[in-house]
Each structure stands twice: as structure tokens, then as C-alpha cells.
Amino acid sequence: MGNMIKIGMAEAALCTPPDAITTLGLGSCIGIVIYDPTTKICGMVHIMLPDSTKIRNNETRAKFADTGIQDLYNAVIKAGAKKEKLVSKIAGGAQMFAFKSDNDMLRVGDRNAEAAVKKLNELKVPILAQDTGKNSGRTVEFYPETGVFLVKSVGKPPYEI
Amino acid sequence: MGDIVVENITEVSDLQLDVLREIGNIGSGHAATALAKLLNQKVDIKIPKAELCAFRDLPEVVGGAENIVVGILLTLSQDINGMMMFIMERKPAINLVKKLMWTEIDENAELTEMQLSALQEIGNIITGAYLSSLSDLTHLTIQASVPYIAIDMAGAILSVPAIEFGKLGDNALLIEAEFSDGNDEDDINGYFLLIPTIESYNAIMTSLGL
């Protein structure tokens, strides 16, 4: 068994077997994994907001879908992953509170998911699995050896995507 | 002194943190009184904390990212914009419902609609007491939304305020107030998080003459 690498909000890290990578208690944030199944090199980023260009204080690039995914993409390639083999899996973006208003501030989970999909499409990285939206938090674990992305929610058995 | 304008949440001074701590103290004092009346028993408050907390440390305040908590959230508008959150761990929340409704509850079962509604109302009353004391203190008008409730992992619940703070910087301003009924076995404790927007934060400071 390898180590479990843990990342928090607005953080990213690379991972290779036998290690695995996790982020705990995703709410409206999104966990994005980019990996190359041939070299088994992968990385995960935990983004909080959709768009860095809308925010003045945007030096923390891993906080945003656009810059966070771009940096992750560059980092896995630099680590030796093959660009044309890259695939991705994403989870998170829940709406934690059942707001009745459609205030944009409160729909951030959906907007994060849309922004992540858009950025991955732009980079031409196929999304093999997506588990976003709904209203419950998720802990996610990614195992680069097998490509399994394990999602755990409260009161439900863990499932693989 | 009146022209200190905070543009980034990392610039908060020690003096300002002291003031926020005092706001937390007064606010939670009122909240504890409201709760004491509701339960007809004594409720103590602990010394409040006000600190800048990095995102990654935020869930640790309530026992770690995967700890199950009850979060009650209200959005604030008018003179103070932002959010107010009241958080309890699952066990104290169940203790509170037991005391309020005079019923036994299976600790592992899901809460019923009625019990959730009771918790939501408790959250409404105590955050209301907190906010009205803040309003009195600052002479600012605060309009709170209806309370929203969620029970989930602490990391997931706290992502909602963290994202709001994320628009301003990499820290959350935590005004933490804890209260307890002084009984170790059936302890009731909770935390307040006041999440003003940066403009509202400046408005609070200005209204207090800082």
C-alpha cells in the first residue's frame, strides 16, 4: 500500500502509484483529476471558484477552475504524462443549502462544474466520469494504479466512477 | 483613524481582531440568553475567538473535514451584506432537540422533518439574537434571510462560507463563539461564523469608530 496524499481547498498535487490522492469533504468546490492511464501519472486540484478573471485577488491559481486546471494539465505533462493520452474525472459542485432564490452567489456549485467542463474541453482532455451537483458533500479518492475514482457521501455506500 | 480601509482580508490588525472578538462576545452572550430562555436552563459562553484562518485549517475548528455537523445559514443584506452561519456537531444538536422537544432520539437515525424544523428554528432564534446585538452596537440595519439548514461533512458545509471568502483572499475571518450548558454529558455547544463582505467589514469598523 502506498501513501494517501491529501489536498485541501485551493490546493493541487501530483501522484503516482502506489500512492493515491484524496480531498475530504468537497461541498460546492470541485475535485478534478487529470491522468494518463499509460504512464499512470496523475494529479488532482481542489477548485473553489469558476473564473479567476472575475476576481481581483487571484494569485492562488489552484483556487479557480480556469487557472487551476491549466496548471494541473501543465504539471502532469511536465511530470512525464503523454498529452494525447490524458483523461479526466471530476466530482463535487453540490448545492449544500436548499436556497430558494436563484442568487448567483448561491449557485456556485453549478457554475464551478460548468467552468471545469469548459476548461477540460478547451484543453481537449476527455471527461471519463462526472459526478457533480446534487446536495451532499463528497470525499473523493483517486487511485492512479487502477484509474478508480472513489466517491463517498454521508449515508450512502461509497461508489466508483 | 476613520480612514482605514481594508482591501484584503489579510490586512486585519490586532486592534480590529480585538473589536471582532468583543462583537463575538456580545453577540454570543445575547444568543446564549435566548437559548437559555428557550430551554429554561443556564447556558454559559466561553471566551470567544476572532482569527484569520487559512482555508485548509477551517474544518479543523469543528473536528475535521469529515466530521458530521449541522449548519444553519442565513444570508445578510442591507447595511451588512454577507452570511451568518451557526454550526453544531451532530451529537450536541441532537441533545438540543431532545431538550427542546422532550423526546428520546436514536442517535444514529436520521432526523425527522419535525426535528430538523426545530433545529432550524433554534438556529433562527439564536442567530437573530446575535445579529440584533450586532445591529444595536453598530447602528447598522441588518436584514437576515430565512434560515437554511444542512447536515453533512464539515468540509462541505464550510465550503459555502469559504468560497465567499475565497473571492477576497486565502483566509477566512472566523469569529468563533462557543457556548455550553455546563453539563459534560449532554453538552450543547456551537460556533458562530460571521462572514461579512469586505465592504460590510469596513462598514462595521467605521461605525465603531475604527
Side-chain angles (χ1 to χ4, degrees), chain B residues 88-137:
Chain B
M88 301 183 89
E89 291 186 54
R90 191 180 144 88
K91 190 164 183 290
I94 288 177
N95 287 338
L96 190 53
V97 176
K98 273 190 202 164
K99 285 185 186 175
L100 190 76
M101 299 177 74
W102 299 61
T103 51
E104 277 307 309
I105 299 172
D106 175 3
E107 303 218 339
N108 300 312
E110 270 199 40
L111 292 176
T112 63
E113 193 93 339
M114 181 69 132
Q115 290 158 349
L116 277 177
S117 173
L119 266 181
Q120 202 166 359
E121 189 48 29
I122 293 167
N124 199 22
I125 290 168
I126 59 185
T127 49
Y130 190 112
L131 289 170
S132 77
S133 75
L134 176 61
S135 174
D136 286 348
L137 210 59

Side-chain angles (χ1 to χ4, degrees), chain A residues 61-124:
Chain A
R61 294 173 59 88
K63 188 156 68 181
F64 304 96
D66 54 348
T67 48
I69 293 173
Q70 182 69 57
D71 287 2
L72 180 65
Y73 175 83
N74 296 345
V76 289
I77 292 170
K78 200 172 164 210
K82 294 193 185 74
K83 198 193 236 176
E84 63 281 6
K85 300 284 185 196
L86 289 179
V87 289
S88 66
K89 293 189 175 182
I90 72 174
Q95 186 180 345
M96 297 308 302
F97 291 88
F99 297 112
K100 283 176 194 79
S101 96
D102 44 47
N103 183 336
D104 236 21
M105 174 172 99
L106 310 172
R107 282 190 53 253
V108 67
D110 285 345
R111 291 195 296 130
N112 278 337
E114 286 159 18
V117 169
K118 182 170 162 242
K119 185 69 195 178
L120 288 165
N121 287 339
E122 204 178 292
L123 294 168
K124 302 195 167 52

Side-chain angles (χ1 to χ4, degrees), chain A residues 9 11 24-29 48-49 55 57 60 63 96-100 105 108 136-139 152 154, chain B residues 8 55-56 65-66 68 71 73 83 85 148-150 152-153 155-156 159-160 162-164 166-170:
Chain A
M9 289 183 217
E11 291 181 336
L24 309 178
L26 281 168
S28 301
C29 303
M48 303 172 72
L49 286 160
I55 307 281
N57 192 347
T60 308
K63 188 156 68 181
M96 297 308 302
F97 291 88
F99 297 112
K100 283 176 194 79
M105 174 172 99
V108 67
S136 53
R138 298 166 172 90
T139 282
K152 300 176 185 170
V154 176
Chain B
N8 184 309
F55 291 145
R56 61 172 306 136
E66 290 190 295
I68 307 296
L73 181 78
M83 294 177 179
M85 190 177 241
Y148 301 100
I149 190 167
D152 211 309
M153 292 184 263
S159 74
V160 177
I163 285 170
E164 276 310 296
K167 295 174 183 169
L168 309 169
D170 298 325

Side-chain angles (χ1 to χ4, degrees), chain B residues 60-79:
Chain B
E60 300 308 321
V61 175
V62 283
E66 290 190 295
N67 194 23
I68 307 296
V69 298
V70 178
I72 293 155
L73 181 78
L74 297 92
T75 59
L76 312 179
S77 53
Q78 291 202 1
D79 294 346

